[in-house]
Amino acid sequence: MLIDDTTTLPNGTHLRVRLPHSSDRAGLHALLGRVGLAAEELELARALRFDPARRTVACATAWIDGEERLVAWGAIDVGARTPDLLLADDVTASGAGEVLAAALLERAELSAAA
């Protein structure tokens, strides 16, 4: 699964994995709430900024109840073997975390090889 691609989860939900946008701040805030976490505005802003030469941050969205909802968020350093940050709303989109983790790992490996 590449970043900026779409797949279908086993329950039929269409999942889009992509790089985050600054407009994802509200979606990230909502995702944190759904998984029982909280963050200050400064932490949210920092989560949206990264150096692509050193780190990849990606998110997964799904069309839920008539709106595109951010259902997973993750980050990995270039060359790393596992994401160091992975949040997923498995109630809303079961399997989204695994799909996002695979996409992040693939991107980290490709970036390390370049």
Side-chain angles (χ1 to χ4, degrees):
M1 171 86 197
L2 293 172
I3 291 177
D4 203 21
D5 202 0
T6 302
T7 191
T8 303
L9 297 174
N11 67 2
T13 301
H14 295 285
L15 187 76
R16 179 177 173 219
V17 176
R18 62 172 173 78
L19 296 175
H21 308 142
S22 59
S23 61
D24 287 323
R25 185 178 294 182
L28 178 56
H29 187 274
L31 172 63
L32 287 167
R34 289 193 312 276
V35 299
L37 300 171
E40 300 292 326
E41 284 300 313
L42 182 59
E43 292 170 313
L44 292 173
R46 285 182 180 154
L48 289 163
R49 293 197 327 236
F50 61 97
D51 177 359
R54 295 180 40 224
R55 186 167 176 79
T56 296
V57 177
C59 62
T61 62
W63 196 256
I64 309 285
D65 296 330
E67 67 179 11
E68 186 178 37
R69 186 175 301 169
L70 201 145
V71 294
W73 186 275
I76 190 169
D77 289 333
V78 169
R81 295 188 177 266
T82 58
D84 56 63
L85 173 66
L86 187 61
L87 303 169
D89 178 356
D90 284 322
V91 172
T92 302
S94 180
E98 291 84 5
V99 171
L100 182 58
L104 286 166
L105 182 57
E106 182 176 359
R107 181 69 168 254
E109 290 172 351
L110 289 172
S111 296

